[in-house]
Amino acid sequence: MHLIITEKNISADRIARILAGKSKVIVGKDGGISSYSFDDTVIAGLRGHVVEVDFEPGYTNWRSEEHTPRSLIDAGTIKVPTEKKIIHLIQKLAKKAERITIATDFDTEGELIGKEAYELIRAVNPKVKVDRSRFSAITPEEIHHAFSHTTEIDFALAAAGEARQVIDLMWGASLTRFISLAARRGGANILSVGRVQSPTLAMIVDREKEIEAFVAEKYWQLSLSTEKSGETIEARHTTARFTDKTAAETAHARTKEPLVVTEIKESQKTDRAPTPFDTTGFIVAAARLGLSAANSMRIAEDLYMNGFISYPRTDNTVYPKTLDLNAVLKTLGQSVFSSDVAWVMAHRRPVPTAGKKSTTDHPPIHPTGIATREAIGDDRWKVYELVVRRFLATLSIDAQWKTLKVNFEAGGEPYTTTGGVLVEAGWRKVYQYSEAKDHVLPRFTEGEKLPIKEKHLEEKETLPPPRYTQAKLIQRMEELGLGTKSTRHEVIGKLVSRKYVEGNPLRPSLVGMAVVGSLEDHADTITKPDMTQMLEDHMNMIKERQRNRDDVVRESREMLHRVFDQLEAHGQEIGDEIMDQTAEEMTLGPCPVCGKDIRIRHLRSQAQFIGCTNYPECTFNIGLPMVMWGFAVRTDTICPTHGLHHVTLIKKGARPWEIGCPLCHHISSNKETLDLVLTMTDEIREKLHKKHIYTVYEIVKSGPEGIITATGLTRENAEKLVSGAEEVLVLLRKRSECRKFVRKHLPPRRGRSHSAIVKKLHASGIDDVEGLGGAERQLLRSVGMGEVEAENLQAEAKRITNERVLRDIGIPAVSLKKYHHAGIITPLDFIGHHPAAISEMTGINPETVFRHVEMVAKALDKPAPEKISKVQLEKGKAELLAIRGIGEAAIGKLYRAGIFNGDRLDKASPDELSKKTGIPKEKILEYQKEYRAVAKA
Ligand SMILES: [Zn+2]
Ligand SMILES: [Zn+2]
């Protein structure tokens, strides 16, 4: 069997259909993974990388003393499977194969993915022949050619990819940990640092600093309008910008009729056809159509997989000789572009345009098949059409402009105007993405005098450099050698998702500014492109077999160690700087109580809340849900009432939880509980809010005095309000316990929410665990509990209630456990048994038992039990055990009846004792007789 492994499932499907020819392709499924077979061939697709590089086990704890961030530099790495089902299928097929062809994408990443597949194959089938096919387009010609001319895997190319993987992991992980720990950030809030990512972010931040530092300068522009044959013509002063106001005003004043034509210059201008698309050129052009870099690449890859365009990751801007341009034209001639193709055939340039970069792996991006808008949808069509039209443009003749420049003079001041006419549309006919407007001027003659209709003196200001758009940034990254054609758009995507930058054009966030600022101050190797450029050079050397992978990785390790020397020397400063600067992103606005700022605060644990920066002078605070529900951050929206930033909880993979204005939220979420206070009215609530009293707790804390000042209530009413609030606090505490109890003991079930159950219980007057223990079973069933669930729940509720009562009485927890074990559960159980019996049952010292029983009796207002000392009990027990027929079992029964020594036994009524202990009367009589005999002796 011949097994072919492709980079993705979709390319497997397509290649199978091409290679199968007239044979039928059978689609198989194994663990949800498709494979395509015909004749004796099976084709299966990977999902890009199916394994991932990670550190050896033992490095997961960020705060480990032993495995510090620096230790990650020298940590060993392993390959971890990430797509187990696919690996399983590949290995299963590989065992049966006689020949295997790796048909992953033809570039560094594709070679590495191919090598990973190769290693998986070798692990299960060490002898099978493995070869490699390389192609730049998934079209019948290319595919047939590639599979009939297979070669070997290029291990040097794959090694370059591996070096990059390991170096990226090592830099990214160690630096991210170091910086995050220094700035005391964890969880969803870590500060990621990366080999390509950080220099890219630095470019955006540096541009922002330029913009911030920019001082606008005033300048003046002078222009006039004249008229010729009923047409208004604008002319500008030949001094494009006057930097001196007086000079501009003087020139303005001197400008007087007549306006004399001094010179007419006619010339021809060639507008060259554009060069073929490489990845960057394509992304820039697609950006003009409104597509982000990531989006346009995603669409281009999809078009490639479906055979419509060639491989979109390429640095090549020169069509290779092997590319049959006529064949491509012929194909396009069958499409909706047939009239454009016909035009190009008739106006073809002798040689196609060519850019500066010529590489051998892939041709420039060009169309390879016919698509229709109906079949592929609007967005993909937009991209496809762009690629087609660009291709046609590169084969078309240049456009030609006839330009006209007219110079004037007015009162000695020189003016000029220009016009242009497109005399030959050339490539612009088939590629109409940039505007080419004619600007026709009327015919002038030298020496001609014209009127001046208007003069304009405009004051303007110089503008700061613009922020980077995604497309511009990708161009700049390419110039600096940052990243590769395959990764640049992904790096930008990461900066956005990590909240380092936002918007397009890209603007850095406060965190982005802080991290770059600190790194630039203390370890600028990380933010400069030099290091990463050097790595690109080294990778090329690996590809050309001038260096090996391990050597390059070792060098990078040494470099990173030097970075850590700098970082570790300034760890504290770096952390403090970042924390200081990012504090603002957590600041919400004025404290309603004291006017200083309130701020979101995250504690080490899962806790987060909003507190006043004026603490401890001001204790205003608002609680927030735990971090597990989402990490609290501020948004740009500001509450018009309170002037506070809105707060939202963000959690990876979940929709953000909008809290809105924290104070509005605080007020509305406390309204219900405030209204539980018996004497509360709308009017009082309003007055309390005005004095920043929002919660029941705050009413209690204010006390009657505070309430009188805040609301003007009489002392009597203020006291009522406060005591009402105290009662509500107690109720709330009980309810909260009740809710926790139900949540803990009632298993979750679909369609049943704990909060709904608890609400219904409250509505029926059940507010606490004790009430739950004594509730009607019918009520529990009506809120959605099963019979057994209700029984268990109530048993547990009773146990907890009793335990609490006993603990409140003062019985220590350790003893409670022993009592509970022996079946002494309720307070009544304590006084229902003789202390001697309880001591016997629990093993607790009789004197301790006495003390406990005495406490319970007192709490229940019952008489104290009989006191027995340990010595008494031991002596009595010896007396009883001396009697023939009395063993440990009988002792227990006698204790329960209060008989703990011979004397008691002697004086007891045999009838009653028999009833209490269950021991037959005759036996009791015998015991008594025996005791008297022993006692007399
Ligand atoms: Zn405050
Ligand atoms: Zn508000």
Side-chain angles (χ1 to χ4, degrees), residues 591 593-595 612 614 618 620:
C591 171
V593 178
C594 72
C612 184
N614 195 20
C618 172
F620 178 78

Side-chain angles (χ1 to χ4, degrees), residues 775-782 786-787 790-792 794 798:
E776 291 284 327
R777 192 56 61 81
Q778 177 55 36
L779 172 67
L780 299 190
R781 275 203 303 267
S782 77
E787 186 63 36
E791 189 169 334
N792 290 342
Q794 286 197 303
K798 282 180 190 155

Side-chain angles (χ1 to χ4, degrees), residues 639 642 661 664:
C639 171
H642 302 112
C661 164
C664 288

Side-chain angles (χ1 to χ4, degrees), residues 670-878:
N670 276 293
K671 182 175 182 297
E672 207 177 311
T673 51
L674 280 180
D675 289 348
L676 286 175
V677 179
L678 277 178
T679 54
M680 182 62 66
T681 63
D682 287 349
E683 197 193 335
I684 297 177
R685 196 174 352 90
E686 287 303 312
K687 283 183 177 160
L688 290 172
H689 282 170
K690 283 215 178 80
K691 297 292 175 184
H692 313 299
I693 296 171
Y694 303 103
T695 65
V696 179
Y697 172 71
E698 283 161 348
I699 296 179
V700 173
K701 210 177 57 174
S702 305
E705 293 300 332
I707 297 300
I708 291 168
T709 328
T711 59
L713 286 176
T714 63
R715 172 159 296 277
E716 192 193 350
N717 286 336
E719 276 167 1
K720 266 190 197 157
L721 193 76
V722 173
S723 67
E726 278 165 352
E727 280 163 25
V728 172
L729 268 191
V730 172
L731 177 71
L732 291 179
R733 208 196 61 226
K734 282 183 178 172
R735 283 185 170 181
S736 146
E737 276 172 15
C738 185
R739 190 172 55 238
K740 275 188 207 151
F741 177 83
V742 170
R743 196 170 279 153
K744 185 171 169 198
H745 296 287
L746 205 60
R749 203 199 289 158
R750 249 182 119 74
R752 175 172 80 177
S753 103
H754 286 132
S755 64
I757 290 176
V758 171
K759 259 202 177 133
K760 284 186 203 156
L761 288 174
H762 293 343
S764 310
I766 308 272
D767 287 313
D768 57 10
V769 178
E770 187 176 358
L772 198 57
E776 291 284 327
R777 192 56 61 81
Q778 177 55 36
L779 172 67
L780 299 190
R781 275 203 303 267
S782 77
V783 301
M785 291 184 212
E787 186 63 36
V788 179
E789 275 179 341
E791 189 169 334
N792 290 342
L793 192 79
Q794 286 197 303
E796 184 62 15
K798 282 180 190 155
R799 186 187 72 76
I800 287 179
T801 310
N802 284 319
E803 205 178 277
R804 177 169 311 141
V805 171
L806 290 169
R807 237 191 352 247
D808 286 350
I809 288 173
I811 317 278
V814 201
S815 310
L816 266 183
K817 219 168 159 187
K818 289 181 186 163
Y819 287 126
H820 194 261
H821 213 73
I824 314 287
I825 295 167
T826 67
L828 285 173
D829 291 341
F830 273 76
I831 50 171
H833 292 86
H834 192 276
I838 297 179
S839 172
E840 178 70 16
M841 287 152 77
T842 57
I844 300 174
N845 184 315
E847 280 145 52
T848 313
V849 171
F850 173 79
R851 211 163 14 89
H852 290 165
V853 177
E854 193 181 33
M855 279 151 61
V856 175
K858 201 173 164 198
L860 295 180
D861 210 14
K862 294 271 160 85
E866 181 184 26
K867 184 168 184 175
I868 327 148
S869 72
K870 196 173 175 184
V871 179
Q872 279 175 313
L873 194 67
E874 273 166 9
K875 188 169 162 271
K877 190 171 181 180

Side-chain angles (χ1 to χ4, degrees), residues 639-644 646 660-665 667:
C639 171
T641 315
H642 302 112
L644 296 171
H646 282 197
C661 164
L663 190 50
C664 288
H665 174 81
I667 290 169

Side-chain angles (χ1 to χ4, degrees), residues 190-309:
I190 57 161
L191 298 174
S192 105
V193 180
R195 188 181 60 81
V196 179
Q197 182 198 316
S198 296
T200 306
L201 176 59
M203 280 170 27
I204 301 170
V205 169
D206 291 346
R207 175 57 58 89
E208 198 67 19
K209 285 189 199 149
E210 270 179 69
I211 294 171
E212 278 171 8
F214 181 82
V215 182
E217 276 170 22
K218 285 201 172 123
Y219 66 88
W220 290 265
Q221 281 188 320
L222 189 52
S223 62
L224 57 76
S225 56
T226 180
E227 204 181 67
K228 164 102 196 208
S229 336
E231 202 186 324
T232 305
I233 293 126
E234 302 279 336
R236 52 187 167 75
H237 197 278
T238 54
T239 302
R241 289 179 176 193
F242 288 94
T243 50
D244 178 29
K245 192 179 181 185
T246 328
E249 281 169 348
T250 311
H252 181 256
R254 278 161 52 105
T255 301
K256 287 204 176 93
E257 284 185 332
L259 182 71
V260 184
V261 178
T262 55
E263 195 183 15
I264 300 165
K265 276 195 257 177
E266 244 186 39
S267 55
Q268 189 93 1
K269 206 183 88 194
T270 301
D271 186 1
R272 273 188 63 81
T275 55
F277 269 154
D278 62 352
T279 303
T280 305
F282 161 72
I283 288 176
V284 171
R288 293 207 191 98
L289 305 182
L291 290 168
S292 73
N295 232 352
S296 53
M297 279 312 283
R298 188 181 50 74
I299 295 172
E301 267 157 39
D302 186 73
L303 292 171
Y304 158 72
M305 293 287 187
N306 284 290
F308 297 129
I309 67 171

